[in-house]
Amino acid sequence: MFKIKICGVRQAKDIEAVHAAGADAIGLNFFPPSVRYVDPDASSTLELAKLAQAAGIRVIGLFVNAPAGDVARVCDRLALDAAQFHGDEKLEELCELKRQLQIPLIRAIK
């Protein structure tokens, strides 16, 4: 999967810094209340994902209690390498999503 992930990436210069630091993954935050939020539907977010992937950096999406359909759509649109969950998602929901997406899912434990 990855060894070092830098979260809260919002700009192209962040990707350059992640690459220079030797990290192999970035986290894109899709939780609107967060100050590090990026709009998953914005063209700038798609460009961030493509830039990271072109540099060999994995792209991980961070979600909090997002509907499964929204998660699947964002994962597909941005070709995410994994999805990370920080909410109260139920195990059954995540298992179904895992079957749908065929990418690794990461569950944060509070």
Side-chain angles (χ1 to χ4, degrees), residues 68-84:
D70 291 352
V71 173
R73 182 184 57 76
V74 170
C75 288
D76 184 53
R77 178 177 189 275
L78 301 176
L80 297 181
D81 295 295
Q84 183 174 343

Side-chain angles (χ1 to χ4, degrees), residues 53-96:
Q53 291 159 339
I57 298 170
R58 297 187 187 281
V59 181
I60 315 304
L62 183 145
F63 300 90
V64 179
N65 297 326
D70 291 352
V71 173
R73 182 184 57 76
V74 170
C75 288
D76 184 53
R77 178 177 189 275
L78 301 176
L80 297 181
D81 295 295
Q84 183 174 343
F85 298 89
H86 283 259
D88 300 315
E89 300 87 1
K90 292 183 173 36
L91 179 60
E92 300 80 24
E93 295 168 347
L94 294 177
C95 288
E96 178 57 34

Side-chain angles (χ1 to χ4, degrees), residues 9-21:
V9 170
R10 300 182 67 206
Q11 302 174 40
K13 70 179 184 175
D14 297 337
I15 302 279
E16 295 166 11
V18 166
H19 188 24

Side-chain angles (χ1 to χ4, degrees), residues 34-49:
S34 172
V35 297
R36 293 180 296 273
Y37 171 77
V38 291
D39 182 347
D41 295 318
S43 60
S44 58
T45 303
L46 180 59
E47 290 306 313
L48 276 177

